Amino acid sequence: MKRHAFSLLLCLYASSALSLDELVKKQEFKLDSFVTSTGKTIKNVRVGYETYGKLNEDKSNAILIAHYFTGNSHAAGKYAETDKAPGYWDAIIGPGKALDTNKYFIIASDTLVNLTPTDPNTVTTGPASINPATKKPYGMRFPLVGVRDFVDIQKKLVDSLGITKLFAVTGASGGAAQAMQWAAQYPENVSKVIGVIGPGLSLPSYTTALLNIWSAPIMLDPKWNKGDYYKKGAPLKGLTESLKLITHSSLSFDWARDNGKGFEKEDQSPLNDFKNRYAIEAFLHTRAEGRAGAIDANSLLYMAKAIQSFNVENALNAIKADVLLIPVRSDLIFPPELSVSSAKTLCESGKKATVKILETTGGHLDGIFKISEAAPAMTEFLEGKAKSCLF
Amino acid sequence: MKRHAFSLLLCLYASSALSLDELVKKQEFKLDSFVTSTGKTIKNVRVGYETYGKLNEDKSNAILIAHYFTGNSHAAGKYAETDKAPGYWDAIIGPGKALDTNKYFIIASDTLVNLTPTDPNTVTTGPASINPATKKPYGMRFPLVGVRDFVDIQKKLVDSLGITKLFAVTGASGGAAQAMQWAAQYPENVSKVIGVIGPGLSLPSYTTALLNIWSAPIMLDPKWNKGDYYKKGAPLKGLTESLKLITHSSLSFDWARDNGKGFEKEDQSPLNDFKNRYAIEAFLHTRAEGRAGAIDANSLLYMAKAIQSFNVENALNAIKADVLLIPVRSDLIFPPELSVSSAKTLCESGKKATVKILETTGGHLDGIFKISEAAPAMTEFLEGKAKSCLF
């Protein structure tokens, strides 16, 4: 009982003293026309964003957050007091937290081809959008876009807010790729980069293949119909398998050992009937099936292509920002060695880079679930007190 | 040129002094009827095997080799001088090698539900076999079998050769699981176990899920037709995706970095056309497509179920054999921590166990391709000179 009361106290403390002062509102950024890095024109581009904290007078305190593969711009706070959970990085965004809203003006942005275009809190433009020329969904006729394009649109959004130079850009996983892309593509416009559970300077070939493998089940489902399923019903079976794969890649051996032991039903051995499952199979399937309805299959294919395209190895010299990389020891998508070797490469090119490895056992997802453990390193880095290039 | 001549010399040396003295012949073991561990009867069971070396008079020098997921009983030697390559573990099987055919009588055995039933050098009984009751392929009506059943059939094969006690049982990956199963199931009939790139004492939940994920693409392919495709054409698209996944899991970040960089065709960026590929995607796809015709999709589903079933955690006390576990540092299917913790558990139960980690960077497949690096540890262990329980 005492223990329970203590937990309750902690919760009250967490939800009153440390959360955002105000409810969050989704905002929308529009472009009449956008030309991609490969020269394709997209009309009526819309992406959503949220802001936390206040922009200071000389507009020098802005931090941009780019989102991860299946995420969106809801990084912190709640839309209504009754929301069950706050944004995904709420543990580090707010007054007195690492991304301190008393100091910084935080902008969290949606990307093109976001996976959840029907979520009322996602604003995106992608294959599920209506093509103004045909009045029908683009499907696979939407132009392919890369991390470069995500960043170009974010740059225009930031410009529209009158901000010339970002104090920092950060993000988890695919968001970390975008943050590093900012430093390479707009070196004059970003001072610091924090890449959490990211690939470093380019997508490793192993993960390039993984993204292709994540995509494959969708295209095997006959309901995918080469991307034209918007009227006929989505390829939910294939999409469910894709999402199972993604969650599996995002977890770890330790997590699965501690959370997925044995049969789904103790008396139903998987050797007795092909339908009987192991607990871990049932967990992954149920979770994937529950999410599939909210995710657009084509957008998953497009996001995979976009993240695969990340590579700033040839733009190293341009980078001016200081860099902090925060991998997770047990990450099976972007193992910490990628961050360490990328930081070394940056330092060898005369840049300032440092690595803080989170020694947690939950795999890639700990970049979200255990992000509070990165807070001290983030604070130190943002305050210019981190030592760089010590390996 | 000098270097070339040197290589040639090495090759000649390797192929004369170290290879098997005689050509290899596939043999066949038959059972009129076999009852599985779950009580199902299978009629007319056939499995293949090969032997290398000679059985000694008191029949005390036999070593059994169980094969891995996609493998068969062709572990060493050639069927004809013109064969392009010898069996998969030829590097450690032969006169003077770790599994020394001057000393040991080696039996390499096929399993039930082998993945390549149409390979003339595989003899197996599984879903692609003709059901004697219906004169049609079993398909998904074949009984589910587990590692226990593989071992039960091997025991009957070994009995049929008049061998009461095996000097050792060994195998790679799924073969390592069978070797450990032998020690738990027939403790009086095996003296030593060598498990290479294996799971240790049970399949980890993370890999249980992985085997399910490997299987999923087959069942998404409409041509799978719930397993009844033998007349209509196999689900080659789904099977190709499954095999891509399996190879991907079997490799490593380092391997992919060194062998799969960049675009498939330098001037065809994957952002220009959805069909353009990265080199690593093309490699995995081409390899998988090339293998798909030789592999039976249903058998892959059955083999996955069989390997998932491996668990001797509750039979620890029965084990009498000494155990050597040889994981690979970069293995992403069965990371070395599994071998270390299993060996510790064995030692805590009063057994003798030791671990030799291969410090190679190629992932799971190094249990085949780099097996020669394990030779000294194997020799030491087989000669009773290995120190155990030192961690």
Side-chain angles (χ1 to χ4, degrees):
Chain A
M1 277 301 282
K2 267 188 188 170
R3 197 161 174 182
H4 178 72
F6 180 68
S7 300
L8 190 68
L9 196 71
L10 264 181
C11 277
L12 286 171
Y13 177 72
S15 64
S16 63
L18 294 169
S19 60
L20 295 178
D21 307 326
E22 295 175 3
L23 291 175
V24 169
K25 264 178 80 175
K26 185 73 62 178
Q27 297 172 74
E28 191 172 316
F29 174 65
K30 291 182 194 182
L31 287 170
D32 288 342
S33 181
F34 173 75
V35 180
T36 71
S37 60
T38 61
K40 309 276 163 53
T41 299
I42 310 173
K43 301 271 183 197
N44 297 354
V45 169
R46 300 159 62 239
V47 290
Y49 67 100
E50 302 182 0
T51 68
Y52 324 114
K54 288 199 167 58
L55 189 61
N56 62 8
E57 224 164 280
D58 62 358
K59 301 186 176 179
S60 63
N61 70 334
I63 296 179
L64 177 72
I65 302 179
H67 70 73
Y68 56 94
F69 197 86
T70 59
N72 73 2
S73 57
H74 191 36
K78 293 183 171 186
Y79 301 120
E81 296 289 359
T82 51
D83 285 4
K84 280 183 191 161
Y88 64 89
W89 260 5
D90 194 81
I92 53 161
I93 301 170
K97 298 185 190 177
L99 305 184
D100 189 344
T101 47
N102 290 332
K103 285 187 189 173
Y104 306 117
F105 176 63
I106 319 274
I107 309 158
S109 163
D110 282 329
T111 63
L112 294 167
V113 304
N114 182 291
L115 266 63
T116 56
T118 57
D119 181 333
N121 291 310
T122 300
V123 182
T124 189
T125 309
S129 303
I130 299 297
N131 180 349
T134 65
K135 316 287 182 207
K136 289 178 185 169
Y138 282 100
M140 299 301 286
R141 291 164 294 273
F142 193 77
L144 284 161
V145 291
V147 170
R148 291 186 75 89
D149 300 305
F150 293 0
V151 167
D152 271 338
I153 288 185
Q154 287 159 2
K155 175 68 166 58
K156 290 176 199 297
L157 160 63
V158 167
D159 285 347
S160 78
L161 300 172
I163 299 162
T164 308
K165 188 164 190 171
L166 290 165
F167 183 68
V169 185
T170 184
S173 196
Q178 294 169 61
M180 191 66 83
Q181 183 75 42
W182 258 92
Q185 197 165 325
Y186 296 108
E188 307 299 336
N189 307 99
V190 52
S191 297
K192 294 173 192 286
V193 164
I194 304 177
V196 178
I197 52 167
L201 294 168
S202 64
L203 209 77
S205 295
Y206 195 80
T207 312
T208 300
L210 189 63
L211 285 159
N212 174 253
I213 282 170
W214 286 358
S215 303
I218 289 170
M219 294 183 282
L220 278 174
D221 187 334
K223 287 200 161 186
W224 177 60
N225 191 32
K226 295 186 177 170
D228 289 329
Y229 54 76
Y230 292 102
K231 277 197 171 173
K232 298 170 193 164
L236 292 180
K237 276 192 182 175
L239 182 54
T240 296
E241 290 303 329
S242 288
L243 295 173
K244 267 167 70 177
L245 263 164
I246 292 173
T247 301
H248 184 261
S249 304
S250 303
L251 292 170
S252 69
F253 279 80
D254 281 4
W255 189 94
R257 181 196 61 212
D258 297 339
N259 296 278
K261 219 177 163 71
F263 306 158
E264 181 186 16
K265 294 175 184 166
E266 208 180 334
D267 61 342
Q268 296 183 7
S269 161
L271 280 194
N272 283 337
D273 190 314
F274 202 80
K275 290 195 187 95
N276 294 353
R277 302 185 294 187
Y278 291 91
I280 190 76
E281 293 176 353
F283 164 79
L284 288 173
H285 191 86
T286 304
R287 184 185 149 93
E289 210 168 39
R291 294 170 80 196
I295 287 178
D296 175 55
N298 286 338
S299 299
L300 194 156
L301 305 181
Y302 274 78
M303 181 61 83
K305 285 279 178 190
I307 300 300
Q308 283 182 320
S309 75
F310 170 64
N311 189 343
V312 299
E313 305 268 359
N314 292 329
L316 269 190
N317 288 336
I319 294 174
K320 294 190 172 179
D322 295 349
V323 173
L324 168 63
L325 301 179
I326 306 179
V328 165
R329 178 68 69 194
S330 51
D331 191 340
L332 296 168
I333 296 178
F334 297 131
E337 292 75 16
L338 301 170
S339 290
V340 173
S341 68
S342 294
K344 283 182 179 169
T345 302
L346 284 166
C347 288
E348 282 159 15
S349 308
K351 324 293 174 191
K352 284 188 186 167
T354 186
V355 179
K356 164 70 184 175
I357 303 178
L358 297 190
E359 299 291 345
T360 62
T361 59
H364 192 64
L365 284 177
D366 276 355
I368 307 299
F369 296 143
K370 299 284 174 69
I371 190 61
S372 59
E373 297 197 18
M378 283 183 161
T379 301
E380 197 183 25
F381 176 76
L382 290 172
E383 291 178 355
K385 294 174 187 165
K387 285 176 186 151
S388 54
C389 300
L390 295 174
F391 300 106
Chain B
M1 277 300 282
K2 267 189 189 167
R3 198 162 173 181
H4 178 71
F6 180 68
S7 300
L8 190 68
L9 197 69
L10 265 181
C11 280
L12 286 170
Y13 176 73
S15 65
S16 64
L18 294 169
S19 58
L20 296 178
D21 306 327
E22 294 175 4
L23 291 175
V24 168
K25 264 176 79 175
K26 185 73 64 178
Q27 297 173 73
E28 192 173 315
F29 174 65
K30 290 183 194 181
L31 287 170
D32 289 342
S33 181
F34 173 75
V35 180
T36 70
S37 60
T38 60
K40 308 276 163 54
T41 299
I42 310 172
K43 301 271 183 198
N44 297 354
V45 169
R46 299 160 62 239
V47 290
Y49 68 100
E50 302 183 0
T51 68
Y52 324 115
K54 289 199 168 59
L55 188 60
N56 61 8
E57 225 165 278
D58 61 359
K59 302 184 175 179
S60 63
N61 70 333
I63 295 178
L64 177 72
I65 301 179
H67 70 72
Y68 54 94
F69 197 86
T70 60
N72 72 3
S73 57
H74 192 36
K78 293 183 170 184
Y79 302 118
E81 296 289 359
T82 50
D83 286 2
K84 281 182 191 161
Y88 64 90
W89 259 5
D90 195 81
I92 52 161
I93 300 170
K97 298 186 189 176
L99 305 184
D100 189 344
T101 47
N102 291 333
K103 284 188 192 174
Y104 305 117
F105 175 64
I106 319 273
I107 310 157
S109 164
D110 282 329
T111 62
L112 294 168
V113 304
N114 183 292
L115 266 62
T116 56
T118 58
D119 181 333
N121 291 311
T122 299
V123 183
T124 189
T125 307
S129 303
I130 299 297
N131 180 349
T134 65
K135 315 288 182 206
K136 289 178 185 168
Y138 283 99
M140 299 301 285
R141 290 164 294 274
F142 193 76
L144 284 161
V145 290
V147 170
R148 292 187 74 89
D149 300 305
F150 293 1
V151 168
D152 272 337
I153 288 185
Q154 286 159 4
K155 175 68 166 58
K156 291 176 198 297
L157 160 63
V158 167
D159 285 347
S160 79
L161 300 173
I163 298 162
T164 307
K165 187 163 191 171
L166 290 165
F167 182 69
V169 185
T170 184
S173 195
Q178 294 169 62
M180 190 67 82
Q181 184 76 41
W182 259 92
Q185 197 164 327
Y186 295 107
E188 306 300 335
N189 308 99
V190 53
S191 297
K192 293 171 193 287
V193 164
I194 303 178
V196 178
I197 51 165
L201 294 169
S202 64
L203 211 79
S205 295
Y206 195 80
T207 313
T208 299
L210 188 64
L211 285 159
N212 173 252
I213 282 169
W214 286 359
S215 303
I218 288 171
M219 294 184 281
L220 277 174
D221 187 333
K223 287 200 162 188
W224 177 59
N225 191 33
K226 296 187 177 170
D228 288 329
Y229 54 76
Y230 293 102
K231 277 196 171 173
K232 299 170 193 164
L236 292 179
K237 276 192 181 174
L239 182 54
T240 296
E241 290 303 330
S242 288
L243 295 172
K244 268 167 69 178
L245 261 164
I246 293 173
T247 301
H248 184 261
S249 304
S250 304
L251 293 169
S252 68
F253 278 80
D254 281 4
W255 189 94
R257 180 195 63 212
D258 297 340
N259 296 279
K261 220 178 162 68
F263 307 158
E264 181 186 17
K265 294 175 184 166
E266 209 180 332
D267 61 343
Q268 296 184 7
S269 161
L271 281 193
N272 283 337
D273 189 312
F274 202 80
K275 291 195 186 95
N276 294 352
R277 300 185 295 187
Y278 291 90
I280 190 75
E281 293 177 353
F283 164 79
L284 288 173
H285 191 86
T286 305
R287 183 184 150 92
E289 209 167 41
R291 294 171 81 195
I295 286 178
D296 175 54
N298 286 338
S299 299
L300 195 157
L301 305 181
Y302 274 79
M303 182 61 84
K305 285 279 179 188
I307 300 301
Q308 283 181 321
S309 75
F310 170 64
N311 188 343
V312 299
E313 304 268 1
N314 292 329
L316 269 190
N317 288 336
I319 294 174
K320 293 190 172 180
D322 295 349
V323 174
L324 168 63
L325 301 179
I326 305 179
V328 165
R329 178 69 66 194
S330 51
D331 191 340
L332 297 168
I333 295 178
F334 298 130
E337 292 74 17
L338 301 172
S339 290
V340 173
S341 66
S342 295
K344 284 183 179 168
T345 301
L346 285 167
C347 289
E348 283 159 13
S349 309
K351 325 292 175 191
K352 283 188 186 169
T354 187
V355 180
K356 165 70 185 175
I357 302 179
L358 297 189
E359 299 292 345
T360 63
T361 59
H364 192 66
L365 284 177
D366 276 356
I368 308 298
F369 296 144
K370 299 285 174 66
I371 191 61
S372 60
E373 298 196 17
M378 283 182 163
T379 301
E380 198 183 23
F381 175 76
L382 290 172
E383 291 179 354
K385 294 174 187 162
K387 285 178 186 148
S388 54
C389 301
L390 295 175
F391 300 106

